Amino acid sequence: MTRTVTTVVLALGISSGVTAQTIEAGALKLKLGGRVQAQFSTTSVDESELIEAGRRPSAPIPSSMFETRRIRLQTDLEYGDMITGKIELEFGMARVQVRETYFNMRLDPAFQFRFGQWKKPFSQLQLTSSSRWLLIERGVRIRGLNEALLAEDADTSVLTIFRGNVVPGEHHDILERFGYLAYDLGAAVHGTIGNFGYQVGAFNGEGADANDQTNGKSFAARATYKLLESTPLTFGAGVSTREIRLTSNPTIQTRDGTAFEIDLELGDFRRKGLHIQAEATTGTNLAVDETFKAAQLVAGWFQPVSGKKFEGWELAGRASWGDPIDDLDGDEGLLVTPGFNIYFTGRNRFMVNWDVYMPRGGTFENLHAFRAQAQVYF
């Protein structure tokens, strides 16, 4: 597997400028590209302490680890002015998964039809590509987090558990755990009219390459408006619905949920100066049929550099808050992340982050992780 991926990556041009390759055959164009993200991370969760406390983890929790966070190869298809498509495969850590694979018919810039699998149109922060995201991770990705929180929750029982996993008090993880965002199978119409953009779609609702579990469909819609051109300022809003199956015995029981979000983005990726992305959301906690609230603010300052071996540096930071059950005290959390990025060319960069997650339950300890990531984009 590793040898095959390496051969393909080299063939696509990593050794000669790290640029995507385009193949043309008449009206058909195929653009080959991808990304590699190699990461090192630590965790403050101590496996031996969990074992001594009587909660043995289901898998080892090493204090530090190297991993291929993402290895993605993609092909963008374009046939004339009307038909486009994409196939993106994931190979990181020996995973073989389909990420995006869709067919798009461009009848008009204001009306296009898409069919296949891609990210549902919800959450500006999730829709921002990992190759352009100012930080390394979008949420609380601290090794052993689930086990540590469960161990400390034994006496208080304030945590939300959904399908066997803790829903931490953090913006992105709440939305991801409940399936309101990320990759899904479906169909949508979308387009742009001047500074206004929209997308409305129906999806299975169970995630990437997954069969629907209910008779109903999950829906997602998002609209944006670009207010300024000189210093880009874009406002957005979205809604995402989800229907899940609770049980099949003795009868089929389901639960419905809806999430809403508003967001804004000031500035742009690798644009000199300030870049801000912010989002606030609320919706149904699908585990207990209650209401959650969450918000995240990400900011960066990019400074181009001329005459050096790299093209610029960037200071970045994030504050992400979440409350899985609005009416319950003690289940909130706050994730704070300072970071620093060095850009070599395009999206090729080296990143350093320090994630600090602070549960608000009083009895929970703060958890933290250092991480560094190198990204090659071609």
Side-chain angles (χ1 to χ4, degrees):
M1 173 75 69
T2 302
R3 181 177 299 175
T4 301
V5 171
T6 302
T7 302
V8 173
V9 168
L10 290 174
L12 290 175
I14 276 191
S15 60
S16 59
V18 198
T19 56
Q21 305 296 302
T22 301
I23 300 172
E24 296 188 31
L28 175 64
K29 295 182 181 179
L30 296 177
K31 185 178 180 181
L32 310 178
R35 78 195 69 167
V36 177
Q37 294 172 337
Q39 187 179 130
F40 170 80
S41 65
T42 68
T43 178
S44 63
V45 178
D46 191 321
E47 181 184 0
S48 61
E49 290 183 358
L50 292 176
I51 294 174
E52 290 174 3
R55 187 167 188 87
R56 183 175 294 275
S58 59
I61 306 175
S63 60
S64 63
M65 188 171 73
F66 293 96
E67 63 178 315
T68 49
R69 183 68 174 94
R70 294 178 182 87
I71 300 177
R72 293 185 183 174
L73 303 180
Q74 71 183 55
T75 301
D76 294 300
L77 177 150
E78 181 179 328
Y79 192 85
D81 296 329
M82 182 175 292
I83 297 174
T84 58
K86 183 176 182 179
I87 298 176
E88 183 179 58
L89 303 178
E90 167 72 64
F91 299 93
M93 297 300 286
R95 298 185 302 269
V96 180
Q97 300 176 339
V98 175
R99 285 305 186 187
E100 290 192 307
T101 174
Y102 60 78
F103 162 91
N104 192 84
M105 181 172 290
R106 185 176 182 269
L107 301 175
D108 185 89
F111 186 83
Q112 303 181 51
F113 174 75
R114 181 175 293 186
F115 189 88
Q117 178 170 289
W118 69 98
K119 289 182 181 179
K120 289 188 286 190
F122 186 79
S123 176
Q124 175 221 84
L125 304 186
Q126 170 67 21
L127 293 172
T128 301
S129 168
S130 65
S131 66
R132 297 166 58 94
W133 185 237
L134 297 181
L135 301 163
I136 296 175
E137 300 292 347
R138 288 191 177 89
V140 189
R141 191 173 182 262
I142 298 177
R143 205 162 36 256
L145 173 75
N146 200 70
E147 291 83 353
L149 292 179
L150 285 173
E152 295 186 9
D153 190 48
D155 297 327
T156 57
S157 299
V158 298
L159 295 177
T160 295
I161 311 297
F162 184 66
R163 294 183 171 176
N165 292 312
V166 173
V167 180
E170 191 276 323
H171 167 266
H172 178 267
D173 277 37
I174 290 176
L175 295 173
E176 185 177 53
R177 292 284 199 278
F178 293 141
Y180 289 118
L181 47 67
Y183 298 96
D184 214 328
L185 287 157
V189 293
H190 66 103
T192 58
I193 306 170
N195 290 346
F196 174 77
Y198 75 95
Q199 185 175 162
V200 180
F203 303 86
N204 279 348
E206 293 298 324
D209 291 330
N211 295 327
D212 205 337
Q213 301 296 312
T214 68
N215 291 330
K217 287 291 171 282
S218 296
F219 297 91
R222 175 172 160 78
T224 61
Y225 187 80
K226 196 169 192 178
L227 189 61
L228 300 176
E229 294 291 345
S230 56
T231 302
L233 175 61
T234 301
F235 293 97
V239 59
S240 180
T241 71
R242 181 99 193 276
E243 181 179 83
I244 63 170
R245 176 175 292 209
L246 297 177
T247 180
S248 301
N249 188 21
T251 60
I252 296 175
Q253 296 182 7
T254 63
R255 176 174 291 158
D256 299 325
T258 303
F260 303 92
E261 64 94 355
I262 56 173
D263 60 73
L264 69 84
E265 181 173 18
L266 174 67
D268 204 352
F269 176 73
R270 276 182 56 102
R271 183 187 181 99
K272 182 179 179 180
L274 186 64
H275 184 194
I276 293 177
Q277 293 178 273
E279 185 171 297
T281 184
T282 186
T284 307
N285 181 319
L286 290 170
V288 292
D289 199 17
E290 296 284 350
T291 300
F292 71 80
K293 291 181 179 178
Q296 183 169 178
L297 171 67
V298 180
W301 181 277
F302 178 73
Q303 181 62 49
V305 176
S306 59
K308 302 291 184 181
K309 294 183 178 180
F310 56 94
E311 292 184 350
W313 56 265
E314 184 174 57
L315 290 175
R318 167 253 308 280
S320 183
W321 168 84
D323 186 358
I325 302 177
D326 188 32
D327 292 332
L328 178 65
D329 293 331
D331 63 335
E332 300 174 59
L334 177 66
L335 174 66
V336 177
T337 306
F340 181 74
N341 307 323
I342 296 177
Y343 290 82
F344 299 99
T345 178
R347 303 188 196 184
N348 299 282
R349 58 185 177 175
F350 181 77
M351 313 171 71
V352 176
N353 282 184
W354 183 265
D355 291 326
V356 181
Y357 178 62
M358 296 173 280
R360 313 295 285 184
T363 62
F364 298 101
E365 293 184 0
N366 293 347
L367 302 170
H368 55 85
F370 168 82
R371 65 183 80 249
Q373 179 169 281
Q375 173 175 293
V376 175
Y377 186 88
F378 54 95

